[in-house]
Amino acid sequence: MSNDTRDIFPGLKARKPQYVLGTKNGDIRTSNVTEEKILEAIDDIEDNECVYLEKCVPVVLVSHAEAYSIDYFKDSSIAVCFRVNGYLLRMWRSDVDCDMAADIMCDFFRTASLPDMTGWHCQKIHPEQEEAEEKLCVDGEDFRYFGCQDVVGALENIIEGKSRWMLYDFTNGEGGYVNIHRCDNGTAPTARYKVEYVRWSEPVPTGYRGVIFDVGLLRNWLWSLIDNDRLPDPMDECEQFDVNDHFERLVFRFLDEDKK
């Protein structure tokens, strides 16, 4: 009998979540990932410029939010990349040495664990091959081709009780989104509309949210958003919130649930 045991349990390897390890300079791109290869790529970060470890089946955090990659850069910054409600975002921090980066990326590889991101920064990202584009989603249905009147029509459907919510991703300025959600069940004498308005400003994104009762005000504000080059100020009823903290809480909610 052969002493070679490499193929006795082939299913164990097949069940291991698949990852892709790559570098910005293109010297490495492989799905045959090992901890040794991760460490070697990080050790050569000056030549590689960036090392990324992408999980082919992303880590689901909460509904509509998942982590899919950890990237380490030669400027000693590291980022955890997410898809949240169709957006690509990253939580990042600087001053991360190679040893810390190796620990973070190897933990992600071994157990799909995410680091503690308290105090990290949030940033929207765009794939290099894609340009930022406007998007409209109503009750979970994405509209590929639409114009200003369609955005206004989406709001009218919410007001009339035909739809519950809309998400409009705009590109004016540095981009952002507005989410409008009807709070009641359509039978209340006075409808309420929860509005969340985020601008992907640099270096810190800004966000506002509030509950609006005045339909005319909401209509006029949305029209000023889609019909002008300059972004409108938030409505007086909206209060500013910390966008970084908002996405940190998404991550922490997942981590807390994972410990139970």
Side-chain angles (χ1 to χ4, degrees), residues 53-212:
L53 181 63
E54 183 173 327
K55 194 172 187 299
C56 298
V57 179
V59 179
V60 177
L61 307 178
V62 293
S63 180
H64 307 301
E66 58 188 23
Y68 66 90
S69 178
I70 295 183
D71 305 345
Y72 183 56
F73 302 88
K74 71 175 183 178
D75 65 359
S76 298
S77 64
I78 195 166
V80 180
C81 301
F82 301 88
R83 296 185 186 94
V84 180
N85 283 330
Y87 299 104
L88 296 182
L89 307 172
R90 68 174 192 164
M91 299 291 292
W92 67 274
R93 61 162 289 184
S94 55
D95 300 323
V96 176
D97 61 28
C98 289
D99 289 339
M100 182 183 293
D103 288 341
I104 290 173
M105 296 185 83
C106 285
D107 284 346
F108 185 56
F109 174 64
R110 293 189 207 104
T111 61
S113 299
L114 299 177
D116 181 354
M117 284 169 269
T118 304
W120 291 31
H121 306 285
C122 178
Q123 180 183 32
K124 185 178 182 181
I125 55 177
H126 297 287
E128 292 183 0
Q129 68 274 20
E130 295 182 8
E131 294 184 0
E133 60 180 16
E134 294 188 341
K135 297 178 182 178
L136 177 64
C137 181
V138 179
D139 287 350
E141 181 180 356
D142 294 320
F143 290 82
R144 186 173 182 182
Y145 303 105
F146 63 92
C148 295
Q149 294 296 334
D150 297 302
V151 179
V152 174
L155 175 59
E156 291 301 321
N157 283 340
I158 294 174
I159 293 171
E160 295 172 8
K162 299 176 182 177
S163 304
R164 293 293 298 169
W165 61 269
M166 62 175 285
L167 177 66
Y168 172 52
D169 188 1
F170 58 85
T171 57
N172 291 354
E174 293 172 291
Y177 70 85
V178 58
N179 189 314
I180 301 174
H181 191 286
R182 184 162 179 154
C183 301
D184 61 90
N185 59 10
T187 61
T190 303
R192 297 176 295 121
Y193 304 91
K194 183 177 180 180
V195 177
E196 183 170 291
Y197 173 41
V198 170
R199 302 170 179 170
W200 298 117
S201 50
E202 295 287 352
V204 179
T206 54
Y208 306 87
R209 59 163 66 109
V211 176
I212 308 300

Side-chain angles (χ1 to χ4, degrees), residues 16 19-21 30-35 37-38 53 109:
K16 184 176 179 60
Y19 291 78
V20 172
L21 178 68
T30 179
S31 59
N32 184 21
V33 183
T34 64
E35 290 188 35
K37 289 181 179 180
I38 295 172
L53 181 63
F109 174 64

